[in-house]
Amino acid sequence: MSDARTLRLATTRAVVWKALHDVEVLQRCLPNCEQLEWQSARQLHAIFRVRLGPLHPRLQGTIELSRIQPLEGYTISGRFEGAMAGFAEGSCEVRLEGEGEETLLRYDIRSSAGGKLARFA
């Protein structure tokens, strides 16, 4: 599955870039993310709560930043597993374009799931 979008933000690329590295901001951008914390300069540990019918299992895994180009963008990717839920994995190409005092945030999300998650996706 792929989903490309563009957001126009009323602030500079520098402010957006800083926000894209703030754990609280990132956590709000990741649906169903319960916990997010830096493990190293490029890796975060994440826990997600998903809905599988009447069950709400947790998926845990690592998010990694790669292809980092300061103030221009990066790739964020991860793989998450749950004991009985299966797995989910995905990546997102994030690109920033400055337009005066505004920033265009372009992102393209690719994701897949396996196990019980795949039946509900």
Side-chain angles (χ1 to χ4, degrees):
M1 180 169 88
S2 180
D3 184 19
R5 297 184 184 200
T6 300
L7 298 173
R8 181 177 296 276
L9 304 169
T11 192
T12 64
R13 280 197 302 177
V15 171
V16 175
W17 183 255
K18 183 176 180 181
L20 288 173
H21 291 82
D22 181 313
V23 172
E24 291 179 17
V25 173
L26 282 174
Q27 187 170 352
R28 288 193 309 262
C29 293
L30 299 169
N32 304 314
C33 184
E34 286 189 341
Q35 182 180 341
L36 188 64
E37 59 187 39
W38 286 104
Q39 298 295 308
S40 70
R42 292 181 178 225
Q43 289 188 333
L44 299 111
H45 178 262
I47 299 174
F48 292 86
R49 169 96 52 187
V50 296
R51 181 178 224 156
L52 296 175
L55 304 175
H56 298 104
R58 285 189 170 100
L59 299 177
Q60 295 191 52
T62 301
I63 294 174
E64 185 167 346
L65 304 181
S66 61
R67 298 175 34 187
I68 299 170
Q69 298 173 327
L71 300 177
E72 293 183 20
Y74 58 58
T75 299
I76 184 170
S77 57
R79 179 175 170 90
F80 310 94
E81 297 181 8
M84 296 176 57
F87 73 91
E89 58 187 14
S91 66
C92 181
E93 297 293 327
V94 178
R95 296 289 164 245
L96 303 178
E97 297 175 19
E99 287 193 352
E101 290 298 308
E102 294 185 328
T103 301
L104 292 179
L105 170 63
R106 299 183 190 277
Y107 61 98
D108 186 8
I109 301 169
R110 298 182 192 287
S111 63
S112 62
K116 290 182 181 175
L117 279 175
R119 288 189 239 159
F120 290 93

